[in-house]
Amino acid sequence: SLSIQNDAIILENLIVRGTTTQKKREQLSAYFSTPPEYFCVALVSFHTTNQQEIGLATLLLYNFLLEHYSHEFINVPTEGEKEIFVMTLSPSDTPDLAPIKKLLQSIIFPLTEDIGITFGVGISSVGTHISNISTCYNQAKQVLQAYETENQNCIQSYNVSMDTSYKNVVTLESLEHLSNLISCME
């Protein structure tokens, strides 16, 4: 219905563009029974253009997660052949998200055999506040772009230690070099 499509567009916009204001954070939090303290974003790509296959695969994946995932999640269809899943986590969950990868593998590989389409799945690192939702979405998107191939299933998660923004690029050597450059310019 039109209401469901409108909700999906609003939700996708909040996830992709982020929740920069308190109103947007409250709006996104309202989709959960309780605002998520910890979460990850899984971006699922369906390697087919057959909308019926995508609809069936999405429904089966959604129902599987409803039955087997112990935490709350929401899913959002996007334009194209992708689906966003925001999966809440508990503080006791492992930071490498191996259980989520294993859970998704247990449904995706049988779906490939049954339906004949392959999946690409990019999973973000753990988000710790709803305001970080777009960062998590972008991490999932980067992983998907880096690892997916149309010929085989791929389930990969974002490796925070590989993120250059976490590395200290300011070293004593770089500061000395900068100081020399500034001195030479005077």
Side-chain angles (χ1 to χ4, degrees), residues 125 135 139 158-169:
S125 63
T135 301
Q139 288 175 351
Y158 190 83
N159 185 350
V160 176
S161 65
M162 298 299 287
D163 191 340
T164 57
S165 66
Y166 284 94
K167 294 180 182 174
N168 186 1
V169 294

Side-chain angles (χ1 to χ4, degrees), residues 13-25:
N13 192 36
L14 289 169
I15 293 169
V16 173
R17 296 184 194 268
T19 55
T20 54
T21 65
Q22 182 63 30
K23 182 180 178 185
K24 287 183 179 182
R25 286 189 285 277

Side-chain angles (χ1 to χ4, degrees), residues 44 46 52-69 73 75 83 85 103-104 106-108 110-117 119:
V44 179
F46 306 94
Q52 288 180 323
E53 287 178 346
I54 291 172
L56 177 61
T58 300
L59 181 63
L60 292 171
L61 182 57
Y62 179 82
N63 287 334
F64 179 83
L65 290 174
L66 272 179
E67 189 174 322
H68 294 93
Y69 189 62
F73 71 92
N75 75 305
E83 187 93 5
F85 287 85
L103 181 67
L104 290 172
S106 69
I107 183 63
I108 285 175
L111 282 178
T112 296
E113 289 180 23
D114 293 345
I115 301 174
I117 62 175
F119 299 83

